Amino acid sequence: GGRHSETRRTPPPIGFDEIGGQERAKRELQESLEFLIKHEEIRRFGIRPLKGILLEGPPGTGKTLLAKASAHYTDSVFVSASGSEFVEMYVGVGASRVRELFKEAREAAAKQGKSSAVIFIDEIDAIGGKRSGGQNREYDQTLNQLLTEMDGLHPNETPRILVIAATNRKEMLDPALLRPGRFDRHIAVDLPDKAARLHILRLHAKNKPLADEADLEQVASETFGFSGAQLESVMNEAAIYMLREGADKIRPEHLNMAIDKVMMGEQTDRQSTQ
Ligand code: ATP
């Protein structure tokens, strides 16, 4: 969401092993990323290189983390923007922001001596939603500019560019975006099952003092439907409860209060957006 609205240049050191669960998504992504790594072979066999990957799934499931890990895995520079940054601007501004983003990726790669770049566009539906039948010129221009940039990507160019986009509303996307040579590879990023929740909880408990009685498996059982972002909040809130009580370890009651808090927060959010 809005946490990642600013464009970034530095390759963030996020590895696939720091992402809990999402085993299928990771595997599919790694397969797709071969073309950035084995580009010589891909060219030799005349395989059409992949330009765009669409990550689809509910908020807070790790789409941004997966995009960052993809950049790290392929030794690419990472630049990102949120689709919402391109809207509510004067006519033509959204389109020039898109142009700017691609330019930024090329410049960052040149500066850092990297031969590939990953461009991440969160909330792609904000610019690539179904067209309004020519009603909204600004919106169409922004979308058209993105399509133009992607159509213009060439496998022999340096840096090689891969665009990864994220959405939680795939059915809203303009079919033009999903055509071959654009975002033609789709990867589902779902809510974690119990084993994945445990994995995520353990990752976020790594640097926190847990009492022996604090049972993360129990927490994983009680957090059906929680996203990775919510599980991260549970660990964070539990540490806050611990501090507030002057305790030096996270105890089961801190975890229980944290689960309740995150669950309540979710309900309040829902009520206020209805
Ligand atoms: P949004 O659609 O809201 O942008 P997202 O799918 O991009 O969400 P992220 O931004 O990647 O989600 O996740 C937000 C935070 O939640 C991460 O920084 C991390 O702390 C935690 N998180 C989410 N998913 C996972 C996961 N699978 N493993 C570990 N941490 C996770």
Side-chain angles (χ1 to χ4, degrees):
R3 294 180 303 282
H4 307 281
S5 52
E6 80 277 26
T7 304
R8 296 205 182 139
R9 289 152 197 271
T10 32
I14 293 264
F16 279 116
D17 55 355
E18 289 164 74
I19 304 172
Q22 304 301 355
E23 301 306 331
R24 195 178 35 76
K26 284 190 224 175
R27 198 176 53 244
E28 286 180 14
L29 254 178
Q30 287 175 2
E31 276 165 27
S32 303
L33 294 169
E34 288 291 289
F35 101 92
L36 281 181
I37 301 165
K38 297 191 178 162
H39 55 98
E40 287 303 340
E41 290 92 323
I42 297 271
R43 197 170 51 189
R44 179 144 35 91
F45 297 120
I47 298 169
R48 180 164 51 75
L50 185 69
K51 294 178 177 180
I53 298 176
L54 183 70
L55 303 178
E56 197 225 352
T61 44
K63 298 184 288 299
T64 306
L65 294 179
L66 287 164
K68 287 183 176 177
S70 299
H72 186 56
Y73 183 76
T74 54
D75 194 27
S76 305
V77 292
F78 179 80
V79 297
S80 74
S82 171
S84 57
E85 284 170 51
F86 299 95
V87 294
E88 292 181 276
M89 286 179 179
Y90 296 105
V91 170
V93 176
S96 71
R97 269 290 286 132
V98 170
R99 220 175 295 128
E100 196 58 33
L101 187 63
F102 279 76
K103 190 170 151 222
E104 217 177 292
R106 292 187 170 100
E107 284 174 358
K111 207 166 141 201
Q112 295 173 38
K114 307 271 191 192
S115 57
S116 53
V118 169
I119 297 178
F120 177 59
I121 306 178
D122 203 358
E123 299 176 53
I124 185 81
D125 36 283
I127 43 172
K130 290 208 170 87
R131 291 185 214 216
S132 46
Q135 298 287 20
N136 187 338
R137 278 189 57 217
E138 170 49 19
Y139 174 93
D140 278 0
Q141 282 193 16
T142 307
L143 177 55
N144 284 336
Q145 187 61 40
L146 178 60
L147 299 178
T148 303
E149 293 288 348
M150 288 185 75
D151 292 348
L153 293 178
H154 197 275
N156 293 337
E157 149 192 70
T158 306
R160 288 177 298 284
I161 292 181
L162 174 68
V163 188
I164 300 182
T167 183
N168 39 44
R169 291 178 291 181
K170 189 168 109 181
E171 68 289 346
M172 291 279 295
L173 292 180
D174 194 308
L177 268 175
L178 307 178
R179 268 181 218 139
R182 292 169 180 171
F183 295 99
D184 51 7
R185 177 100 207 216
H186 301 172
I187 297 178
V189 186
D190 297 320
L191 286 173
D193 61 13
K194 190 188 158 194
R197 291 197 296 277
L198 181 58
H199 187 180
I200 296 170
L201 287 164
R202 287 203 172 123
L203 284 171
H204 289 287
K206 248 195 316 209
N207 55 0
K208 295 188 172 66
L210 272 190
D212 290 341
E213 306 90 306
D215 182 1
L216 292 184
E217 233 176 293
Q218 180 69 24
V219 176
S221 296
E222 288 172 7
T223 46
F224 178 85
F226 277 44
S227 67
Q230 288 174 308
L231 294 167
E232 190 274 335
S233 285
V234 168
M235 290 313 302
N236 193 56
E237 293 296 337
I240 292 171
Y241 283 122
M242 169 192 79
L243 285 181
R244 223 177 261 166
E245 284 191 358
D248 58 359
K249 291 229 160 85
I250 296 179
R251 301 193 36 80
E253 58 269 30
H254 304 136
L255 289 167
N256 289 336
M257 287 190 287
I259 295 172
D260 287 350
K261 173 144 202 257
V262 173
M263 224 177 249
M264 289 288 284
E266 190 61 7
Q267 273 160 18
T268 330
D269 285 353
R270 269 191 209 138
Q271 274 158 12
S272 61
T273 53
Q274 268 168 10

